[in-house]
Amino acid sequence: MQLTPPPLPAGAKCKRCSGRGQMRLPSHNTIFCSDCFLLFCRNAVAKAMKKFGIPRETDLLVAVSGGKDSLAVWDILNELGYRTRGVHVNLGIDTFSDESVRAVEEFASSRNLPWSSHSIADLLGWTIDEIRPRTRRSICSICGAIKRQMLNRLAVDLGYGTVVSGHNLDDEAGRLLGNILRNRTQYFDKQYPYLPSPHPRMPAKLKPLYRLESHELRAYCHFASIRPHSASCPYARGASSHKVKEALNLLETKMPGTKRDFLFSYLRNRKPPQTDLSELRLCEKCGAPSWLPVCSVCALKAQLDAKRGEPEPRPEG
Ligand code: FES
Ligand code: ZN
């Protein structure tokens, strides 16, 4: 269930400038015109940057998938005067990956922003489409680990100390609820929108959209003339994280502001977590920071390479 804000009452006015109301925000009990709404979104990001003490002169590497959230965060940081560079990880998922490169390319050239695309096939020798039929593990968690490692590497190689991602309030509230439901207390500490760099080869991770809801970002792209790709990853269908978000959206429609209150009350009085590095080492094969002698990506690559030459597994279904 996607949250769609209720329609605007006839003749609604912007509560900030009294112009024509175009966007209703039930969780803030307010209505904005398009300009005031864009300002509201930019202020939410500026507030996050101030809270985490990220000065304007910080160079930021923005991980962009071509979806609404990553393009919106890139646009807003650029509008706020940060120096940004986009980096796209090409996963090699049929149609979806081509669409995502197209959206990033179109946006970057419209704003004249630097960016580059890097294929996981160059890192691993395998695409996500090739890995999926060859593993029993969840492809989403494999994909997440590969992306994390690739982004760490790219940040180090390109000389960036901070990687920005487009996770929004729905993502963060959903993740928190998912961890609470399964009592995964070991992840609680890491649930914070800013993780400072714990190691020279592990850049800081920043989620400046954690104050904005998914539907607000969809509207931001519309009013800022951004054309994100609309496809969602074909492998994410039915993921439990989606169901948790749906449950939160159901509550949100009955009790506007629930998601915000839930996440913000959890984050209140928390500080950016410190990572204990006493057990950290460098992967014997690739030199990436790892908790085991061989990192998870190199271990996966070895498994896949051992099967190279075997007949292609049949597609499922
Ligand atoms: Fe990685 Fe869907 S985006 S598996
Ligand atoms: Zn490795």
Side-chain angles (χ1 to χ4, degrees):
M1 165 191 182
Q2 263 189 4
L3 199 62
T4 336
L8 285 160
K13 291 209 182 314
C14 170
K15 293 243 176 108
R16 189 169 166 273
C17 75
S18 304
R20 183 166 74 88
Q22 283 175 280
M23 180 69 192
R24 184 172 185 182
L25 303 182
S27 59
H28 293 270
N29 192 24
T30 197
I31 292 172
F32 287 129
C33 68
S34 57
D35 284 350
C36 291
F37 175 69
L38 291 173
L39 188 68
F40 159 84
C41 294
R42 289 170 188 151
N43 284 343
V45 170
K47 218 169 173 172
M49 300 304 269
K50 189 169 172 211
K51 180 176 168 68
F52 304 134
I54 315 284
R56 282 284 148 84
E57 41 297 341
T58 312
D59 288 332
L60 301 170
L61 190 66
V62 185
V64 275
S65 66
K68 68 182 191 339
D69 303 311
S70 60
L71 295 185
V73 76
W74 195 8
D75 187 60
I76 296 174
L77 290 170
N78 183 45
E79 288 289 326
L80 292 175
Y82 284 90
R83 280 197 309 256
T84 57
R85 178 197 166 112
V87 74
H88 173 261
V89 174
N90 191 323
L91 302 167
I93 298 177
D94 187 36
T95 322
F96 173 71
S97 290
D98 299 336
E99 254 287 284
S100 78
V101 179
R102 180 213 54 78
V104 177
E105 187 163 37
E106 183 184 296
F107 172 79
S109 59
S110 75
R111 279 19 180 208
N112 207 14
L113 291 166
W115 74 289
S116 49
S117 182
H118 307 261
S119 166
I120 68 160
D122 293 339
L123 174 78
L124 269 181
W126 299 87
T127 63
I128 290 294
D129 275 349
E130 290 166 342
I131 297 170
R132 186 167 173 264
R134 292 174 168 86
T135 180
R136 289 182 184 197
R137 289 173 51 203
S138 143
I139 194 66
C140 292
S141 68
I142 291 180
C143 176
I146 297 171
K147 276 193 280 198
R148 272 193 299 281
Q149 189 174 121
M150 241 182 120
L151 288 168
N152 282 354
R153 272 188 199 205
L154 287 166
V156 173
D157 292 351
L158 297 167
Y160 285 77
T162 305
V163 175
V164 172
S165 64
H167 293 90
N168 60 38
L169 194 153
D170 295 52
D171 297 323
E172 294 303 288
R175 180 175 164 203
L176 177 60
L177 182 58
N179 284 336
I180 290 173
L181 290 173
R182 294 187 178 85
N183 198 27
R184 292 191 291 221
T185 48
Q186 71 276 26
Y187 296 133
F188 284 8
D189 262 0
K190 287 234 165 136
Q191 170 107 32
Y192 198 78
Y194 177 55
L195 304 178
S197 164
H199 183 278
R201 301 188 69 166
M202 295 164 84
K205 306 282 164 56
L206 177 62
K207 300 174 180 173
L209 296 184
Y210 80 100
R211 309 183 69 88
L212 291 167
E213 292 175 47
S214 184
H215 78 96
E216 293 166 348
L217 291 157
R218 198 172 307 116
Y220 180 89
C221 287
H222 171 73
F223 291 126
S225 306
I226 298 171
R227 279 205 319 143
H229 74 69
S230 49
S232 51
C233 169
Y235 303 138
R237 279 179 209 131
S240 59
S241 58
H242 285 203
K243 293 184 186 116
V244 172
K245 283 189 202 169
E246 282 180 14
L248 276 170
N249 277 340
L250 186 66
L251 287 172
E252 184 74 26
T253 49
K254 311 273 178 205
M255 297 184 289
T258 299
K259 277 186 288 198
R260 176 174 305 274
D261 290 348
F262 174 58
L263 181 67
F264 287 14
S265 61
Y266 176 80
L267 293 176
R268 198 168 299 132
N269 303 325
R270 282 189 170 255
K271 298 248 176 301
Q274 301 295 326
T275 313
D276 174 9
L277 297 184
S278 50
E279 305 276 310
L280 192 76
R281 48 176 98 194
L282 297 181
C283 167
E284 286 167 8
K285 292 192 183 286
C286 72
S290 169
W291 303 105
L292 295 169
V294 172
C295 75
S296 62
V297 173
C298 286
L300 172 72
K301 180 171 165 45
Q303 260 175 32
L304 293 166
D305 287 350
K307 291 187 197 165
R308 206 182 281 278
E310 286 181 11
E312 175 102 357
R314 284 207 206 142
E316 281 168 23

